[in-house]
């Protein structure tokens, strides 16, 4: 684990909350049925909310920490080999955003020597801001730690897209998992992790993520006491996918996905 001082953490936590608030000012004016939608080269949607929010964050970073690097979904990479690098997803869950579903969120992470050490998940419509530093996690400034592990047959399982082919990656038997849970819903995107950290659901799974999708989430999960791995059971950040639950529930999930292990 990359080490930064407590004073640095406190400074960066305060700053990341400020970045989220500034991004929200750019996002909320575009939230509504008349939102203008463009398509990227891969046919995924993008809006002015995505672009304007990232522009604003980059402006603030250039003033406050010009030596830091930036990796952003909309405007690429700068100084990505720096000691400190900010990873930006201004609107994670654009499909939810354009559909009026408040499961989208702004994701901002700080990497130190290539590893995520602080992350923020901000849902501006619901006014929910989760910040984690791998040791503690807060929701609107108050500590949260999810709810205690339950049995798999009592658990609520969420994912973003329940028919996404990558749920079956690494030969996982995904079809076996939902029937063994109490409730299975597509309350995903970044908002699903707010539900997880704040104690409303028990398992959150994302099978395919970019660095800007997962970097902010992992410090929040770790700080709230969740076990988060990838589909291969290894480091979620390295694998760029997440299976998150409290132990021993996480073990039950993995045993269901891979019964032959």
């Amino acid at each position: 684990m990359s080490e930064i001082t407590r004073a640095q953490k406190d400074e960066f936590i305060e700053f990341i909350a400020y970045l989220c608030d500034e991004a929200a000012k750019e996002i909320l004016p575009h939230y509504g049925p008349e939102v203008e939608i463009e398509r990227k080269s891969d046919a995924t949607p993008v809006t002015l909310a995505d672009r304007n929010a990232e522009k604003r964050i980059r402006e603030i970073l250039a003033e406050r920490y010009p030596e830091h690097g930036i990796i952003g979904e909309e405007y690429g990479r700068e100084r990505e080999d720096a000691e400190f690098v900010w990873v930006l997803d201004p609107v994670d869950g654009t499909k939810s955003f354009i559909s009026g579903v408040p499961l989208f969120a702004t994701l901002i992470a700080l990497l130190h020597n290539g590893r995520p050490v602080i992350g923020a998940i901000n849902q501006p419509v619901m006014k929910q801001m989760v910040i984690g530093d791998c040791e503690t996690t807060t929701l609107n400034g108050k500590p949260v730690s999810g709810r205690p592990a339950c049995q798999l047959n009592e658990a609520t399982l969420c994912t973003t897209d329940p028919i996404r082919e990558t749920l079956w990656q690494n030969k996982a038997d995904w079809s076996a998992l939902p029937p063994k849970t109490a409730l299975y819903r597509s309350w995903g995107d970044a908002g699903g992790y707010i539900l997880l950290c704040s104690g409303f659901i028990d398992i959150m799974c994302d099978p395919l993520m970019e660095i800007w999708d997962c970097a902010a989430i992992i410090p929040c999960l770790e700080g709230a006491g969740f076990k988060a791995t990838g589909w291969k059971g290894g480091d979620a950040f390295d694998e760029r996918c997440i299976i998150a639950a409290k132990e021993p529930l996480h073990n039950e999930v993995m045993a269901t996905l891979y019964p032959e292990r």
Side-chain angles (χ1 to χ4, degrees):
M1 177 65 67
S2 299
E3 292 294 334
I4 61 177
T5 68
R6 184 68 253 175
Q8 285 178 305
K9 277 192 176 184
D10 291 343
E11 174 187 333
F12 290 136
I13 287 170
E14 180 179 354
F15 181 66
I16 207 170
Y18 169 66
L19 291 178
C20 288
D21 286 338
E22 289 297 301
K25 294 176 185 177
E26 303 294 337
I27 292 167
L28 290 175
H30 300 282
Y31 183 64
E34 297 180 358
V35 60
E36 294 184 13
I37 305 164
E38 298 179 29
R39 298 284 169 177
K40 298 182 185 180
S41 59
D42 62 359
T44 57
V46 65
T47 71
L48 281 174
D50 302 75
R51 290 175 172 157
N52 291 352
E54 185 167 324
K55 283 181 181 177
R56 178 60 181 145
I57 296 170
R58 285 174 177 266
E59 288 172 358
I60 297 168
L61 288 171
E63 283 188 17
R64 181 73 175 269
Y65 298 113
E67 73 281 9
H68 288 192
I70 302 174
I71 298 173
E73 180 177 12
E74 304 306 327
Y75 294 106
R77 299 169 182 244
E78 303 174 24
R79 298 176 298 281
E80 61 182 299
D81 59 347
E83 178 183 3
F84 290 101
V85 177
W86 296 88
V87 183
L88 315 175
D89 190 348
V91 180
D92 179 82
T94 300
K95 292 176 183 177
S96 289
F97 178 80
I98 64 177
S99 302
V101 179
L103 287 169
F104 71 91
T106 297
L107 295 177
I108 303 176
L110 178 64
L111 308 186
H112 181 236
N113 293 329
R115 297 294 303 178
V117 292
I118 296 172
I121 310 169
N122 187 51
Q123 211 308 310
V125 176
M126 303 295 287
K127 293 181 169 52
Q128 296 174 316
M129 186 186 299
V130 172
I131 298 178
D133 65 3
C134 301
E135 297 177 343
T136 59
T137 296
T138 61
L139 171 61
N140 295 343
K142 297 181 180 180
V144 290
S145 57
R147 58 189 181 193
C150 60
Q151 298 296 314
L152 186 58
N153 63 5
E154 300 172 333
T156 297
L157 163 67
C158 290
T159 190
T160 300
D161 184 348
I163 61 172
R164 195 172 192 175
E165 291 182 1
T166 45
L167 289 166
W168 285 263
Q169 67 177 291
N170 196 38
K171 299 182 179 179
D173 187 7
W174 181 264
S175 302
L177 182 60
K180 291 189 176 183
T181 65
L183 187 62
Y184 177 41
R185 290 291 184 270
S186 56
W187 299 329
D189 296 319
Y193 294 97
I194 297 176
L195 294 173
L196 186 65
C197 289
S198 55
F200 286 99
I201 67 174
D202 304 285
I203 310 163
M204 182 66 195
C205 298
D206 265 314
L208 182 63
M209 309 175 86
E210 301 290 346
I211 187 172
W212 45 77
D213 298 318
C214 62
I217 289 168
I218 290 169
C220 296
L221 293 174
E222 292 182 0
F226 287 91
K227 181 175 182 180
T229 68
W231 248 250
K232 296 178 181 179
D235 186 280
F237 184 66
D238 291 341
E239 290 190 31
R240 297 289 195 267
C241 49
I242 292 175
I243 297 174
K246 290 288 182 72
E247 290 189 292
L249 178 57
H250 187 282
N251 298 334
E252 282 194 79
V253 172
M254 296 302 285
T256 302
L257 293 176
Y258 302 106
E260 302 301 319
R261 287 187 179 178

